Amino acid sequence: MVVEPTWKRIGLTDKLSEDSGKGIGIIILDGALSHVSLSHLKGRAKLIKVRKDMTISCTDLFEEPLTEEVEKEEHGLMVLSLLAHQPMEYRGMEYAGLAPSANYIFLSSYIPERRKKGLEWILQQDWGFPLKICLNLLVPQERGWMSPTHLDPYVQALQPAVDAGLLVIAAGGNSRAHNNLHPKQYFTVSGYNDKGFSELNNYEVHPAVASGVNSDGHWRPDILAPYTYLPLPSLERDGVDYFSATCGSASLITGLCAYLFSIFPDLTVNNIRNALMETGDVLEGFPAPIVNARKAFKALKEGNRNDKHLSLEPTVVVTNEKESILSADPLERSLALTMLIKDRQLSREEIWDYTNDESPMVKKVAIQGLGNPINQVERDLYWERVWGESSRDGVKESWAYTLLETSPIEELDKWMSLVETRSFDTRICITIFLQKYFPDAPEIEHSPDPDPKTMSAIVAPLVEWHKHRFES
């Protein structure tokens, strides 16, 4: 399969020069691998580790020895390759990283306290270049509870970057089961399905991405970028491999922003955010504007410097959860329900009642509050909800993830009943279930492509395996 290069798919008319991102520092919150394909970054890529005792190490990522083999998909390596790989031509297409001359600092600590300590240390150093961007690839509170974003330990861990004036770019997440989304301080990027080509009329909303209000009442995401078939040089053969998901979408926006910072040194964080959102293509049914780099560049070149600050005030504040649980506002009910459940003020029967709420947001809080089924009767009810709920807002997936935690081997047929649904999350659940109990079963290839034909082809070997197993 041959797809267009990422620079074209985000709206540029030509690939960026090899100086793109020069002099700009980017912090990436991810692990990293020193692969030979990116050895041209020697001296411009650091790896920071925070140990249990809070001591910190800093190494040059591309000092010898470098590795040539990759046993599995190395997430950080894919992100860095998407941002900074060397130009290459393949089947008539010119591929290039969006910010090959930027400076990269990887912080591999995921524990919030260590992440915060690492960020504070990074921000205190004199690197010889300005730190402009922090790329966050972790959704803070993936499922369930709705609590003010500032209370989340992962949000607190990133506060040093926000306070230092960095543009914090966040991947919006790859599941509609997500409930409490990123805070508004982050420039949140989600994805759409462009099928590998910049043809506006063929764009589709991707069924795996989350959107909606976060626990502060602010709409997420801010902007959309391509999600599927993001090309980068293959590590194992001639040609290209593909990265995907909102981590890839956020990486594209990171590369574009590094380019803009390097071309227009006077830009503020608000200048870039506002320019990209104001010039994005607005399509009916899509949750945010679609990035249009050409229009954004033109606006900035013409002197557009909208420095309007964000309003971060929450739209809803719960002071009395017993009153707020009766509110007509689903966000207010969700916040109140979270508080009541955590404070053990509701019986299990009362929590069950909220799984029938009209709001998917409230339902997902209730599912989190129920946790694992307590008996077989409940387990059967959970399965009825999996089969009966819609995937549109991730409620079906929330039930499925909860069941998975305690699913016995006897539930094979139940999981296989979901194998041909369009839900990416249920396929993940099925994969985890099979790996635990049936390691000989055909693997479900991980593909971000939502095309029904692609999905049917991927699960066909597994369907055949199950059929023969059932017949025997």
Side-chain angles (χ1 to χ4, degrees):
M1 179 179 182
V2 179
V3 299
E4 289 180 344
T6 55
W7 54 262
K8 186 172 184 179
R9 290 159 62 186
I10 62 171
L12 292 168
T13 55
D14 200 357
K15 69 178 181 182
L16 298 177
S17 74
E18 293 187 35
D19 285 339
S20 176
K22 187 173 183 178
I24 301 302
I26 302 172
I27 301 171
I28 299 178
L29 303 179
D30 203 349
L33 182 71
S34 54
H35 194 270
V36 293
S37 64
L38 294 170
S39 59
H40 60 284
L41 294 175
K42 184 175 181 180
R44 292 192 289 113
K46 307 293 184 185
L47 176 61
I48 312 300
K49 292 184 178 180
V50 183
R51 305 181 187 92
K52 288 183 180 180
D53 63 0
M54 293 297 183
T55 57
I56 294 173
S57 66
C58 173
T59 58
D60 190 316
L61 186 57
F62 293 100
E63 288 291 344
E64 301 291 344
L66 304 180
T67 183
E68 295 186 13
E69 296 183 3
V70 178
E71 294 183 359
K72 58 184 178 63
E73 181 180 292
E74 291 286 345
H75 194 272
L77 174 61
M78 301 296 105
V79 167
L80 185 56
S81 184
L82 198 60
L83 283 164
H85 75 77
Q86 292 183 311
M88 65 169 289
E89 185 173 331
Y90 179 65
R91 295 187 179 179
M93 295 285 186
E94 290 187 281
Y95 301 99
L98 295 175
S101 288
N103 301 277
Y104 297 95
I105 301 174
F106 280 83
L107 175 59
S108 62
S109 301
Y110 293 93
I111 298 172
E113 295 78 11
R114 296 193 209 176
R115 176 167 283 190
K116 184 177 182 180
K117 180 73 172 180
L119 278 174
E120 290 172 340
W121 185 88
I122 291 169
L123 293 165
Q124 290 167 0
Q125 309 308 305
D126 180 8
W127 298 100
F129 50 80
L131 294 172
K132 290 289 191 178
I133 300 170
C134 179
L135 175 56
N136 175 30
L137 302 172
L138 179 72
V139 177
Q141 189 167 267
E142 293 188 357
R143 295 194 301 275
W145 308 126
M146 291 292 283
S147 303
T149 57
H150 73 273
L151 298 178
D152 189 281
Y154 288 98
V155 173
Q156 294 169 357
L158 263 68
Q159 195 59 40
V162 175
D163 292 342
L166 272 62
L167 174 61
V168 177
I169 297 176
N174 309 310
S175 170
R176 294 193 177 182
H178 295 333
N179 215 20
N180 194 7
L181 306 176
H182 285 296
K184 196 173 182 179
Q185 293 96 316
Y186 304 170
F187 191 38
T188 301
V189 183
S190 196
Y192 65 97
N193 181 27
D194 70 352
K195 307 174 188 178
F197 296 90
S198 53
E199 298 174 3
L200 205 66
N201 293 335
N202 291 328
Y203 292 172
E204 294 178 345
V205 175
H206 199 286
V209 300
S211 63
V213 296
N214 65 9
S215 57
D216 300 324
H218 300 140
W219 183 264
R220 310 278 73 205
D222 295 300
I223 200 163
L224 305 179
Y227 181 105
T228 50
Y229 299 120
L230 306 179
L232 40 84
S234 176
L235 302 179
E236 299 177 346
R237 54 184 170 78
D238 292 334
V240 297
D241 288 334
Y242 299 104
F243 193 49
S244 61
T246 58
C247 287
S249 308
S251 298
L252 298 186
I253 297 298
T254 296
L256 174 60
C257 289
Y259 164 68
L260 294 174
F261 273 129
S262 66
I263 293 295
F264 306 108
D266 66 310
L267 290 182
T268 67
V269 166
N270 289 330
N271 291 160
I272 282 193
R273 283 184 64 144
N274 291 331
L276 289 175
M277 293 171 66
E278 290 167 2
T279 60
D281 296 316
V282 178
L283 299 184
E284 183 178 355
F286 286 70
I290 292 172
V291 63
N292 189 316
R294 176 179 50 80
K295 290 182 181 178
F297 177 82
K298 182 174 183 291
L300 292 170
K301 188 176 181 180
E302 292 174 351
N304 182 323
R305 294 294 186 273
N306 181 355
D307 204 37
K308 181 180 179 181
H309 287 263
L310 303 172
S311 174
L312 303 178
E313 289 297 315
T315 63
V316 174
V317 176
V318 173
T319 57
N320 185 326
E321 59 269 31
K322 291 185 178 179
E323 291 182 1
S324 290
I325 195 65
L326 304 175
S327 171
D329 184 335
L331 173 57
E332 189 170 353
R333 294 201 304 279
S334 298
L335 293 166
L337 182 59
T338 296
M339 296 169 70
L340 289 168
I341 294 174
K342 286 189 172 183
D343 290 342
R344 301 181 183 276
Q345 296 186 50
L346 295 179
S347 68
R348 192 167 183 84
E349 290 72 22
E350 289 172 318
I351 298 173
W352 263 107
D353 288 341
Y354 289 100
T355 66
N356 298 314
D357 193 280
E358 63 182 17
S359 164
M361 186 190 305
V362 174
K363 287 182 178 182
K364 287 187 276 189
V365 173
I367 295 167
Q368 181 74 20
L370 287 174
N372 296 331
I374 59 174
N375 53 40
Q376 189 57 46
V377 172
E378 271 203 353
R379 191 162 200 92
D380 292 341
L381 288 173
Y382 278 41
W383 274 109
E384 288 180 16
R385 297 301 179 94
V386 170
W387 291 318
E389 287 282 5
S390 167
S391 288
R392 187 178 61 187
D393 297 295
V395 177
K396 174 193 290 286
E397 289 75 7
S398 295
W399 285 111
Y401 278 120
T402 306
L403 275 167
L404 179 65
E405 294 180 13
T406 54
S407 188
I409 192 172
E410 291 79 13
E411 289 185 341
L412 171 63
D413 291 348
K414 288 183 168 68
W415 286 112
M416 288 300 299
S417 70
L418 304 172
V419 75
E420 295 193 71
T421 64
R422 203 164 181 242
S423 168
F424 286 77
D425 292 275
T426 54
R427 284 164 52 192
I428 291 172
C429 288
I430 293 167
T431 296
I432 295 171
F433 176 85
L434 293 172
Q435 287 174 343
K436 181 177 181 180
Y437 294 117
F438 301 95
D440 62 318
E443 293 185 13
I444 302 178
E445 177 191 345
H446 174 67
S447 171
D449 188 345
D451 185 280
K453 293 180 180 178
T454 301
M455 296 177 71
S456 294
I458 286 172
V459 301
L462 182 59
V463 171
E464 192 67 20
W465 170 85
H466 182 248
K467 178 183 176 182
H468 288 313
R469 182 180 177 83
F470 178 79
E471 291 174 347
S472 61

